[in-house]
Amino acid sequence: MNISVIGTGYVGLVTGVSLSEIGHHVICIDVDEDKVTKMKKGISPIYEPGLGELMTKNINEKRLSFTTSHREGLQQAVVVYIAVGTPENKDGSADLSFVAQAAKDIAENVKHDVIVVTKSTVPVGTNAMIKEIVQTHLSEGLQVEVVSNPEFLKEGSAIHDSFHGDRIVIGADNEQAFSIIEEINQPFRVPIFKTDIKSAEMIKYASNAFLATKISFINEISNICELLGANIENVSTGMGLDQRIGSQFLKAGIGYGGSCFPKDTKALIQIAGNVEYEFELLKGVVNVNKKQQGILIGKLNDCIPVISGKKITVLGLAFKPNTDDMRESASILITEELIKLGAEVVAYDPIAMDNAKTILSSKVQYADSIERAVDNSDAVLILTDWDEIKNVELAVFHNMKRPLVIDGRNCFTLEAMEKNGIDYHSIGRPVSAKLIEAAPI
């Protein structure tokens, strides 16, 4: 089937590549000329494991192409996916200007009856808006149907999720449109859930908000565990054994980030407000996450009362491992605060440093390895649980002025850090050791 995808961010590019991999002819449209030039050569603009290989394969097999021209990209389309950004407005609501423009571009360039599939995360009622825009600008005699097909991809495992997801949600008010989108997705062999359009729109927001709630809940429990002397890892494991609760998203840390949870939780609060409903629980989730992102600064201050002039190493800058995405990463808040306190900040991340250089303060310095970042440091803060960080030889921390590690992702066991004589502070667990008789700092 001839499919067009408007937008080549995380959602659009992964969607287009995955659809081409199951046999469809896909053309992806983006207005960024440099980006499109690179993608035509099989160069992915984002770091996502397995994505580049599938791009190259399907380009070579003539099923995947890229263009900046809506006229070229939409001429043969029978189905068009909208996968443009819906950034956050100042009031927390979703900015739908890119979605509206995509709808207009579709109407002005398609040559056939068309099914518009909304992949972008949009508030309830947006698909109706899209249909109205398309119908207003569509050539006489052509018909349009709109389908909601929200994405549930996790950055860092998006390709895997495309082919091994829990469900594909299709929201449609037209049976024929549903059948066509169902047929498109059948080769993924992922269970398909059919519902109405408004419910499909709500499923996406509700899912992300619930996962964010689990994260904020376990982080609050971890803070209580620290005060009581309990171990959050034992608590979360014991909770997760209850099938009603489950173990996923019960790992304590320094909060959630990225392109989805922060934006979608705020948007759902705004959606509720639009119908005069106060979503008090979700407001609490957002507030807890803000507080949790800065918790390491307090731990650092407890260990080093005067941070000014100290070399502080930050390991991990992306909001999670296996991605170069810096959006809403805790590293933004933490490095800003360290610099305000007068620290010399040296950072290392295996993938995200190029992106970080465009976002973080120009005063942040960068090292090309963990070893060089840690050398002669006063303290190490761990912000992202990359495998490279979790598997580092612990002896590296003895190259510091004194081995002081403050871990926001609980990368190491208390036993290992104590055995290696490292003053180790983590989230929701006892301090592993205070073995070092150091002069006051």
Side-chain angles (χ1 to χ4, degrees):
M1 193 170 292
N2 291 327
I3 297 173
S4 298
V5 179
I6 301 179
T8 58
Y10 278 93
V11 175
L13 186 55
V14 172
T15 297
V17 171
S18 298
L19 288 170
S20 68
E21 175 66 12
I22 59 173
H24 301 293
H25 289 87
V26 180
I27 183 164
C28 296
I29 306 166
D30 199 291
V31 296
D32 187 328
E33 291 186 8
D34 290 339
K35 189 177 181 183
V36 169
T37 298
K38 290 179 180 178
M39 290 188 293
K40 286 180 176 180
K41 298 175 182 177
I43 301 172
S44 173
I46 56 176
Y47 178 81
E48 185 64 43
L51 179 58
E53 294 84 347
L54 281 189
M55 281 178 66
T56 300
K57 174 189 174 186
N58 286 285
I59 290 170
N60 291 338
E61 294 177 1
K62 310 297 183 184
R63 288 194 300 268
L64 178 65
S65 59
F66 301 90
T67 183
T68 57
S69 168
H70 288 87
R71 181 178 180 183
E72 176 189 349
L74 295 167
Q75 194 167 25
Q76 301 298 322
V78 177
V79 174
V80 182
Y81 283 75
I82 294 179
V84 296
T86 53
E88 182 183 335
N89 286 315
K90 289 183 179 180
D91 63 357
S93 62
D95 179 353
L96 299 177
S97 58
F98 298 111
V99 173
Q101 184 60 52
K104 186 178 179 183
D105 290 334
I106 291 168
E108 292 177 345
N109 290 280
V110 293
K111 304 299 182 184
H112 311 278
D113 290 349
V114 65
I115 298 174
V116 177
V117 181
T118 308
K119 272 285 182 188
S120 301
T121 300
V122 295
V124 176
T126 303
N127 280 273
M129 178 199 81
I130 292 170
K131 186 171 185 177
E132 182 179 349
I133 292 172
V134 176
Q135 285 178 327
T136 299
H137 296 88
L138 194 63
S139 297
E140 189 174 344
L142 297 184
Q143 300 294 319
V144 60
E145 291 295 340
V146 176
V147 172
S148 177
N149 177 217
E151 56 85 19
F152 300 97
L153 306 173
K154 299 186 294 293
E155 288 184 34
S157 61
I159 292 295
H160 178 271
D161 293 346
S162 295
F163 297 91
H164 304 90
D166 297 317
R167 80 291 201 198
I168 293 172
V169 173
I170 301 175
D173 296 333
N174 178 280
E175 191 63 38
Q176 183 180 9
F178 167 79
S179 297
I180 292 171
I181 305 308
E182 181 183 36
E183 181 183 350
I184 286 173
N185 284 279
Q186 285 289 0
F188 286 122
R189 297 185 178 180
V190 173
I192 291 174
F193 176 69
K194 177 185 177 183
T195 185
D196 61 280
I197 290 177
K198 288 185 177 180
S199 296
E201 292 169 327
M202 191 63 172
I203 287 168
K204 169 65 176 180
Y205 279 109
S207 297
N208 279 354
F210 183 75
L211 296 176
T213 300
K214 288 187 76 172
I215 293 170
S216 283
F217 178 84
I218 203 63
N219 282 335
E220 286 284 75
I221 295 296
S222 76
N223 294 334
I224 298 171
C225 283
E226 285 192 26
L227 296 171
L228 296 175
N231 187 319
I232 188 58
E233 292 191 337
N234 296 335
V235 173
S236 60
T237 299
M239 290 173 59
L241 293 171
D242 188 327
Q243 293 183 7
R244 297 169 301 173
I245 298 173
S247 60
Q248 290 188 319
F249 291 85
L250 285 183
K251 184 177 180 181
I254 48 175
Y256 56 77
S259 61
C260 293
F261 287 6
K263 176 173 69 71
D264 293 353
T265 49
K266 294 173 189 174
L268 185 51
I269 291 170
Q270 187 67 30
I271 291 167
N274 290 341
V275 290
E276 299 182 352
Y277 186 85
E278 292 293 325
F279 205 147
E280 297 292 351
L281 174 62
L282 203 53
K283 289 180 180 179
V285 168
V286 171
N287 289 334
V288 166
N289 197 64
K290 286 180 182 177
K291 176 183 71 175
Q292 198 71 15
Q293 283 197 335
I295 202 169
L296 292 195
I297 298 295
K299 290 178 179 289
L300 178 62
N301 259 136
D302 290 340
C303 298
I304 305 178
V306 180
I307 295 174
S308 180
K310 299 297 189 292
K311 177 183 176 181
I312 309 299
T313 298
V314 172
L315 297 181
L317 298 171
F319 86 93
K320 63 180 287 190
N322 297 322
T323 181
D324 59 356
D325 196 344
M326 289 286 297
R327 285 175 287 185
E328 300 286 342
S329 172
S331 65
I332 299 172
L333 180 150
I334 289 171
T335 56
E336 284 180 356
E337 188 61 26
L338 289 172
I339 287 168
K340 284 180 184 176
L341 293 170
E344 174 193 351
V345 181
V346 179
Y348 172 76
D349 187 288
I351 295 294
M353 286 197 290
D354 285 345
N355 283 349
K357 289 173 183 176
T358 67
I359 295 170
L360 302 184
S361 167
S362 60
K363 293 182 179 180
V364 175
Q365 303 170 47
Y366 298 89
D368 60 7
S369 69
I370 294 175
E371 290 76 14
R372 291 188 179 181
V374 166
D375 188 51
N376 204 37
S377 178
D378 291 282
V380 168
L381 305 186
I382 299 176
L383 308 188
T384 314
D385 48 338
W386 286 96
D387 284 344
E388 181 181 343
I389 295 172
K390 293 190 293 184
N391 296 325
V392 72
E393 292 289 337
L394 297 184
V396 72
F397 296 121
H398 285 280
N399 294 329
M400 302 168 60
K401 290 176 183 174
R402 72 180 182 99
L404 170 62
V405 176
I406 302 174
D407 185 356
R409 299 299 181 186
N410 291 357
C411 291
F412 306 106
T413 66
L414 301 179
E415 294 77 14
M417 298 302 266
E418 185 167 358
K419 181 180 177 181
N420 283 273
I422 297 167
D423 192 2
Y424 182 57
H425 303 254
S426 52
I427 303 295
R429 303 187 293 180
V431 176
S432 67
K434 295 181 180 177
L435 304 177
I436 298 134
E437 296 293 335
I441 299 176

